[in-house]
Structures are given as C-alpha cells and as structure tokens.
Amino acid sequence: MGYGTEMDGCGRFMKYSLFFTNFVIFIGGIVVTGLGVWALVDKVPWIGELVGNDLLTGAVYVLLVGGIVVAFIAFFGCVGASREVKCMLLTYFIIVFLLFVTMLIGGVLGYVFREKLLGTLDREMKSSLRLYDHRKSIRDAWDTTQSTLHCCGVNSWRDWGSFGLNVPESCCREIQPGQRFHCNAGPDTVNPSNAYVEGCINGTRIYMQQHAAVMGGAGIALACLMFFGMIFSCALFKMIE
C-alpha cells in the first residue's frame, strides 16, 4: 500500500515539499475564508442590487466555501504526505484538482466583475435609483451605500429630484449612530451642511474594485499554490513503491 516505505533523497524531498505546500495551502484556505467572511460582514452583496450585477457576490460565496474546503483537504494532504499512503495521495490529487478549478473560477469572476464594473456602473446605478420606491432590496442597498460611503445619489444629490424622487433620509449626516440631521429643506432641496452632497459613483467604484481585486487575487494565488500541491502529490505517488 505504500505505507511507511523507505524513500531515497529525491522521494523525501518530494514528501517534505508536499507537506510544506499543503501547510501553506491550509493557511491560504484559512485566509481566503477570512476574506470571504470580511466581504460579507462589509456588506458586499448589497452592491449587487445597486449595480445590477451579482458576479462579485457569487465570487465571494465561491471563495468562502472553497476556502473552507481547501483548508480541510490540505490538512489531510499533510497527513497523506507524512504517512506516504498512495490511496490518500490519489484521492487528494482528484479533490485538489476540482478545488483548483473552483478557486480559479472564483478568482477570475472577481476580476471579470472589476473590469465590467467600469463601463456599466453609471447606467446601472441610475436604473436602480429609479426603482428606489418600488423594491425594498434596492431601497436597502441605496440606504446602506449612502450611509456607509457618506454620499447621495449617483453623481450628486440632485439625481433624486431628476427622477421625481424625494431625497432619502440616508443622505442626511449622522449626529450619532441611529440619529440623523433633518436635511430636507423642501422639494428637490437639501441643506448642504446637514447632508451628503457628493454622488456615490466614485466611492462605489473604488469600494468594489478594491474588494474585487482582493478576492480575485486571493483566489488566484491559492489556485497557484494548489497547482504545486498537485505536482508534488503526483511525483510522490509515483515514487512510493
């Protein structure tokens, strides 16, 4: 079964290389899982409602689940390398290959979203703004965006009036958590000293590009580590008698 066999220097090098690679992959899986949790806590999914695109949200969930599974499998990869069990190494290779594809897809999705965002953000944000009074999910997304990024409207607070909508309360500055200034001074008018007057488009673009770059980079980096894990597991499998 290839259990506890003596190996030459090259075989031991492959064994320890696989063990070390799996340890690094395990740490990487924990990091990617942490980044996925961070993205969810940082309310990335609500941006999907705002910009009419769920690619980044999908990437976050793919990387979150993938990171957990990768960390789990890497742990057993370390055991398989140290015990020199061929069936464990073969199983490990198949599972890691599938996870490699998953993590690569998650990473690519993050970058695809990052590039697609540039050309459609203005149009999609204005389309969602029109639906503010008709869909609760979009209303919540806009309120969260304006409160979090301290902005109002797409390009300015005047966007609300141009679409026949009242400036929402989330455009008013906070006095303290849960309490805001009254910033509506009349129809299509706000008190600039009590309201966020800058539009949300630039802040949203930067916010999403940063998150997409972090999630995409983490997924691709972990996929590269897993590629080396597959190489070392194949080499060690062939060397075990």
Side-chain angles (χ1 to χ4, degrees):
M1 292 181 61
Y3 179 87
T5 55
E6 291 295 329
M7 305 185 71
D8 58 17
C10 185
R12 285 194 297 272
F13 171 78
M14 288 298 175
K15 171 181 173 178
Y16 293 126
S17 294
L18 179 59
F19 182 89
F20 176 75
T21 301
N22 273 288
F23 178 75
V24 175
I25 292 173
F26 173 78
I27 299 298
I30 296 297
V31 170
V32 169
T33 301
L35 288 173
V37 172
W38 161 71
L40 293 179
V41 170
D42 215 24
K43 302 177 182 178
V44 163
W46 47 256
I47 289 293
E49 291 286 347
L50 201 70
V51 301
N53 191 314
D54 291 326
L55 271 178
L56 186 58
T57 302
V60 168
Y61 283 114
V62 166
L63 294 175
L64 176 62
V65 175
I68 295 172
V69 178
V70 164
F72 184 76
I73 296 302
F75 174 79
F76 285 98
C78 289
V79 176
S82 61
R83 304 286 293 229
E84 303 170 21
V85 182
K86 292 188 75 172
C87 64
M88 287 186 69
L89 289 172
L90 180 59
T91 303
Y92 167 83
F93 174 84
I94 294 172
I95 295 175
V96 168
F97 175 75
L98 296 175
L99 291 173
F100 166 78
V101 174
T102 301
M103 298 305 291
L104 195 59
I105 289 173
V108 170
L109 277 177
Y111 277 106
V112 167
F113 177 87
R114 186 171 183 266
E115 295 304 316
K116 188 174 181 180
L117 183 69
L118 293 174
T120 63
L121 187 60
D122 183 84
R123 183 180 71 249
E124 295 295 346
M125 288 183 72
K126 286 180 178 177
S127 295
S128 66
L129 188 144
R130 291 187 181 93
L131 299 173
Y132 181 85
D133 285 341
H134 304 286
R135 286 178 53 182
K136 184 179 183 300
S137 59
I138 289 180
R139 182 166 61 251
D140 291 343
W142 266 106
D143 288 340
T144 302
T145 299
Q146 293 180 145
S147 299
T148 302
L149 302 182
H150 297 170
C151 58
C152 186
V154 180
N155 296 295
S156 77
W157 63 269
R158 292 182 176 84
D159 289 327
W160 293 101
S162 66
F163 291 117
L165 300 168
N166 293 323
V167 176
E169 187 178 323
S170 55
C171 282
C172 302
R173 297 180 186 275
E174 280 191 326
I175 302 172
Q176 58 187 19
Q179 184 178 2
R180 295 180 179 276
F181 286 106
H182 178 71
C183 63
N184 293 323
D188 301 335
T189 306
V190 298
N191 184 342
S193 63
N194 293 341
Y196 306 126
V197 294
E198 293 186 2
C200 295
I201 187 167
N202 289 330
T204 301
R205 180 185 290 114
I206 293 170
Y207 182 88
M208 296 311 296
Q209 284 185 317
Q210 288 175 341
H211 281 73
V214 170
M215 299 305 297
I220 292 174
L222 187 56
C224 291
L225 287 173
M226 294 169 70
F227 179 74
F228 285 106
M230 288 189 291
I231 292 176
F232 289 132
S233 65
C234 274
L236 184 60
F237 180 87
K238 291 182 179 179
M239 289 179 180
I240 295 175
E241 296 295 335

